[in-house]
Amino acid sequence: MSYIAVGFLFLLLLTLARAVKLVPQKQVKIIERMGKFHSLADAGLNLILPFVDSVRATHDLRERITRIEPQPVITRDNVTMEVDAVIYYLIADPVRATYEVQNLAWGLEQLTLSALRNVIGQLDLDHTLSSRDSTNTSLRAALDTATQQWGVKVMRIELKNITPPEEIRLTMEKQMTAERTRRAVVTTAEGEKSSAILRAEGQKQAAIVNAEGAKEAAILAAEGQAQARLRVAQAEAQAIQLVAQALGTAGSPAQYLIAQKYLEALGQISNNAQKIVFLPYESSGIMSSLGGIKELFQAAK
């Protein structure tokens, strides 16, 4: 009887083990009954009929990452490159992922390789190297359309390395060096041009300022000379007026002024002379002019 009890207990434990299924978080199990899809076992405790129901597959619903090994691809301009990529996807429909494709990972990898060759085959080398974002978008759209029937959602695909042949790489490096040299020469020329323009503008502004200063100085000098001549003329007018008042009606102020200028001229001649002074013939009239002036002043008194 003890063997029967042990056997019954073992059968009971085996039945419970087959009937109770614990599913972790973010996972799902495909339950089949008599070889046909029956239900999905979500996260938590699930009960199934032992020896009737069975687990066909277990799927992880988290985002998955698959790396595509470097593969040779040919661009539109017949350049062979090695390209590798990384695919980020998740299972949106576990039932389709189980029954619509035999090997999901292998099928997704082969589909990615085909899409990669088709997309890059439509681009030339320069566009392939410079437009990774558009290439990634085109690849994701192609894969997302093809994997809908598999219940898979492609989130994104990233091209990691694009390795051109060695001779192409050396040519590109030389071209890049030449382009950088050209940019440096252009930048230097533009700097020299800007510097020359600034110097010319500075010289122009300096010339304008100097001309304006000379103009203002000439105007001030002319105004000063005019004011000085005006003051001299006013002083001479006042002097003539005083002489006329002093002489009255007895004499002529013009005769007095002529005699005064004559004496000043003779004084300058005598100062500049070194030994001999020749007086003009008309100097004999000076004495008569002085006598006349004396008589005028006496008559005025």
Side-chain angles (χ1 to χ4, degrees), residues 2-222:
S2 60
Y3 291 104
I4 297 174
V6 171
F8 180 77
L9 181 60
F10 176 78
L11 182 61
L12 180 61
L13 293 176
L14 180 61
T15 302
L16 290 176
R18 295 180 63 90
V20 177
K21 298 297 180 182
L22 292 177
V23 182
Q25 184 68 26
K26 298 298 292 183
Q27 287 188 7
V28 65
K29 293 181 181 296
I30 303 297
I31 305 300
E32 290 183 347
R33 176 169 294 177
M34 304 297 293
K36 185 179 180 181
F37 171 74
H38 175 65
S39 63
L40 290 176
D42 294 326
L45 180 62
N46 295 270
L47 297 177
I48 62 175
L49 294 177
F51 307 105
V52 177
D53 296 339
S54 62
V55 177
R56 170 66 181 271
T58 302
H59 293 288
D60 194 335
L61 301 181
R62 294 174 296 179
E63 186 172 344
R64 296 186 180 185
I65 302 173
T66 299
R67 183 176 182 271
I68 304 299
E69 297 297 329
Q71 300 293 328
V73 295
I74 301 176
T75 61
R76 186 174 59 181
D77 49 356
N78 296 325
V79 177
T80 302
M81 302 183 302
E82 287 191 355
V83 180
D84 59 346
V86 179
I87 308 172
Y88 301 85
Y89 69 97
L90 54 83
I91 296 177
D93 190 346
V95 177
R96 286 191 175 186
T98 303
Y99 296 103
E100 297 295 335
V101 59
Q102 181 181 4
N103 189 332
L104 178 61
W106 184 80
L108 188 60
E109 180 179 353
Q110 297 302 314
L111 188 61
T112 302
L113 293 177
S114 300
L116 192 62
R117 292 190 177 97
N118 292 333
V119 172
I120 294 183
Q122 299 175 0
L123 302 175
D124 53 17
L125 177 62
D126 294 336
H127 287 85
T128 303
L129 297 175
S130 61
S131 57
R132 289 197 177 193
D133 292 338
S134 60
T135 304
N136 293 336
T137 303
S138 300
L139 287 173
R140 191 192 66 80
L143 291 177
D144 196 22
T145 302
T147 56
Q148 284 183 357
Q149 62 180 357
W150 295 351
V152 175
K153 175 65 176 177
V154 177
M155 306 304 296
R156 59 191 180 277
I157 179 171
E158 300 289 343
L159 295 178
K160 291 183 61 179
N161 298 313
I162 300 177
T163 307
E166 185 66 20
E167 60 274 9
I168 299 295
R169 187 181 62 82
L170 293 177
T171 303
M172 293 174 61
E173 290 180 355
K174 293 180 180 179
Q175 182 180 2
M176 181 175 59
T177 302
E179 179 65 20
R180 289 179 178 176
T181 303
R182 185 189 67 83
R183 291 180 181 179
V185 172
V186 171
T187 302
T188 302
E190 290 179 352
E192 293 177 353
K193 176 183 176 182
S194 300
S195 177
I197 292 174
L198 291 177
R199 284 197 300 268
E201 291 181 352
Q203 294 175 358
K204 176 182 176 182
Q205 294 295 330
I208 293 174
V209 172
N210 292 332
E212 291 180 351
K215 176 183 176 182
E216 295 293 335
I219 293 174
L220 293 177

